[in-house]
Amino acid sequence: MVAFHSSALDGVARNPALPTPLLLRLLAFEENGDRPPRDALQRAELPEPAVALILAHPNPGARIDFAMSARAEPAQRARLADDPSPKVRAALAYGPEVYDSRRQVAPLPDAVCARLLDDPAPCVRTALLDSPHLPPSFVAWMATHHSSAARRRAVRAWKILAADERSVLLADPDPEVRKAAALWECRRDARVTAELLRDPKSAAEALRRGLLVRADAERCVAERTHLAALAENPSLPADLVERLAVDSDEAVRLAVSLRPELDETRRMAIAFMVGDLDRGDGVWWVRDGLADSEALRRAATSAHPLLRRAAAQSPYLPPDLLRLLARVGDPVLENLLGIHHPDAPEEVLMRVFARLGGTFSAWMAETHPRFPCEGLAASYADHPDGNYRRLAVRDPAATPELIERLSHDPVVWTRQAAVGDRRLPLHRLREALHVPELASSAGANPALPEAEMAAVLDRAGVPA
């Protein structure tokens, strides 16, 4: 295929107005190792004839793309569980690669996961156990599976396992399963914690979470054993917390400053330092309580930057806390609100875009449902920065004449945005189909006539 024909074809593949007959024609494509564009294979709400074509496609790459579609229904993807290619089944087992935390992926049915877990190909079994999309019910079910790797994965569902299931895992014949189980059980059992402390590989995590007896805590402080981990421990005696609050190690003082039981006066009296880019991911009691209103309120109303940043990662922030955090003026916090919160204020999203244009955080802000649209044409159509001129295309009040003018902009991103807009005059849209850097955007324009879409398929060599 000619390069720009291929670009136009990619655009048509994701065009929301693509008629079903042309979609089916595109999905049936297979020639010289080529396969349908990924956007065609991963469209939302594919009709049954389209799914049938994909499942039977001779190119396994096409089936892999469908197996990893975040838009396909789980029951549709699950039909690949019997695919002859282990690579396809492994792609199905792992599931979609999702980089946008706002997109939720529905898991495969438990019965399908169970079949993939017993697949004859090791790569399929490994992919399933590495999948971030396994439902908690299935993870818990693996506690009694014959595979030690599956039982080790099941430990992650510790909180919902029954007492007898926990006991069995703690006595598992596989030492790695026993250790993984012990690292959960130690949170409420000082004896298990003491055993883990004797193993250098598990000592740090046991000190971070395990139930400690005072003698072990004092010994670790005296020997300076994993002090930053110890400083997080919920069972650390108060006097030892105070000692670590003035430790010479910055990491130790920072860990103490994040402890949940401290009041604000004591917390802010600690001499801690926060990195400019530290997101607060390691604040366990906030991270584990993103849906806990009390924990969120304590974190969001704190003067500690990392607690506020950790709270900003919750999509469940109530309106008053969202407004509070939006006024803080912390760039990292604003980035996190734009990424995680469905109601992030327009002004926050605009500040993120203005500060970080061209980055992932700016893209997340710009694609946020609440990113502003009204008034952008008047404000930015003649802005000296092309990244801002591109925003004018988002304005519902932008005229076809403005859209056409922006389709000739010196900056390619602005031209592409304008060419993809349905208000672009048809003569310019047809012209853009033959411009290499604009062909993909033109192909995706929902105003593109069906005859032009068919012509794109013809020029790309897709059989009728």
Side-chain angles (χ1 to χ4, degrees):
M1 286 186 240
V2 179
F4 72 82
H5 287 165
S6 179
S7 295
L9 190 70
D10 287 339
V12 168
R14 67 178 185 275
N15 193 313
L18 181 65
T20 297
L22 291 184
L23 171 63
L24 297 179
R25 177 182 166 189
L26 188 53
L27 289 174
F29 176 70
E30 195 274 330
E31 182 179 320
N32 298 326
D34 282 333
R35 62 180 188 263
R38 179 174 297 170
D39 286 315
L41 296 158
Q42 297 189 341
R43 290 171 68 96
E45 300 179 352
L46 284 169
E48 174 55 30
V51 175
L53 270 176
I54 297 171
L55 297 178
H57 201 282
N59 189 321
R63 307 196 302 275
I64 287 172
D65 283 343
F66 181 66
M68 301 190 75
S69 172
R71 297 180 177 89
E73 293 296 323
Q76 293 177 329
R77 295 192 299 114
R79 291 158 66 181
L80 289 168
D82 294 319
D83 193 275
S85 168
K87 291 183 179 180
V88 174
R89 301 197 304 274
L92 171 67
Y94 184 83
E97 296 276 8
V98 178
Y99 303 103
D100 185 344
S101 60
R102 297 182 297 240
R103 173 178 289 181
Q104 300 299 313
V105 175
L108 293 170
D110 285 6
V112 175
C113 292
R115 287 173 58 195
L116 295 169
L117 183 57
D118 287 328
D119 193 277
C123 65
V124 178
R125 303 194 297 269
T126 299
L128 183 82
L129 294 176
D130 287 342
S131 173
H133 309 303
L134 293 180
S137 60
F138 180 76
V139 176
W141 174 84
M142 290 192 294
T144 56
H145 196 268
H146 60 81
S147 163
S148 60
R151 298 195 301 276
R152 188 163 60 249
R153 180 73 160 82
V155 171
R156 300 186 194 181
W158 194 260
K159 292 180 179 179
I160 63 174
L161 291 176
D164 58 333
E165 292 173 321
R166 294 180 179 183
S167 298
V168 170
L169 290 172
L170 287 166
D172 195 275
D174 185 287
E176 292 302 316
V177 176
R178 293 198 302 274
K179 181 183 292 185
L183 283 170
W184 278 93
E185 182 67 9
C186 73
R187 302 176 186 215
R188 64 185 187 92
D189 191 323
R191 179 188 58 80
V192 175
T193 301
E195 292 176 1
L196 290 169
L197 291 178
R198 289 193 284 270
D199 182 351
K201 295 181 179 179
S202 59
E205 187 60 24
L207 285 175
R208 180 175 285 109
R209 296 285 182 267
L211 182 61
L212 288 167
V213 297
R214 184 176 182 89
D216 283 337
E218 288 180 337
R219 174 177 55 80
C220 289
V221 171
E223 297 174 356
R224 301 191 63 79
T225 304
H226 301 297
L227 285 189
L230 179 65
E232 296 182 38
N233 192 292
S235 64
L236 190 64
D239 61 313
L240 297 183
V241 171
E242 290 301 317
R243 191 185 307 180
L244 294 182
V246 293
D247 193 86
S248 59
D249 189 328
E250 284 186 5
V252 175
R253 298 197 305 274
L254 177 60
V256 173
S257 74
L258 296 168
R259 291 180 64 87
E261 78 275 11
L262 299 183
D263 62 38
E264 277 297 285
T265 301
R266 182 67 192 98
R267 188 186 309 284
M268 300 311 294
I270 298 171
F272 62 83
M273 295 287 290
V274 172
D276 290 341
L277 300 179
D278 193 334
R279 294 155 41 98
D281 295 336
V283 188
W284 60 269
W285 61 273
V286 181
R287 184 191 65 226
D288 294 348
L290 290 182
D292 182 331
S293 59
E294 181 183 348
L296 282 178
R297 189 161 296 277
R298 287 162 57 205
T301 57
S302 173
H304 198 301
L306 288 193
L307 293 186
R308 294 194 300 247
R309 292 174 186 178
Q313 298 181 48
S314 173
Y316 307 107
L317 274 173
D320 65 318
L321 294 184
L322 177 60
R323 290 192 297 270
L324 175 68
L325 292 180
R327 295 194 298 266
V328 168
D330 176 353
V332 176
L333 187 154
E334 291 185 343
N335 297 350
L336 293 169
L337 287 178
I339 291 171
H340 295 283
H341 205 287
D343 294 319
E346 290 186 2
E347 62 273 17
V348 167
L349 298 172
M350 200 63 184
R351 286 199 296 269
V352 172
F353 176 85
R355 187 172 59 249
L356 298 172
T359 67
F360 174 76
S361 292
W363 175 81
M364 288 291 288
E366 188 183 354
T367 57
H368 194 289
R370 286 180 55 83
F371 192 85
C373 294
E374 304 286 343
L376 295 181
S379 299
Y380 298 118
D382 297 303
H383 196 280
D385 185 337
N387 205 37
Y388 282 86
R389 293 195 298 275
R390 176 170 56 85
L391 294 182
V393 177
R394 300 175 60 97
D395 192 334
T399 64
E401 293 76 19
L402 174 60
I403 299 298
E404 182 171 9
R405 171 163 72 85
L406 292 174
S407 77
H408 294 280
D409 193 88
V411 176
V412 66
W413 285 4
T414 302
R415 296 198 299 275
Q416 290 169 342
V419 164
D421 192 274
R422 64 168 59 247
R423 291 165 292 185
L424 184 72
L426 184 57
H427 72 89
R428 175 57 176 156
L429 178 55
R430 287 180 170 137
E431 181 181 276
L433 273 175
H434 300 278
V435 179
E437 70 272 16
L438 302 180
S440 180
S441 299
N445 191 316
L448 190 67
E450 181 176 343
E452 296 288 350
M453 295 186 199
V456 169
L457 270 62
D458 293 338
R459 289 193 293 270
V462 178

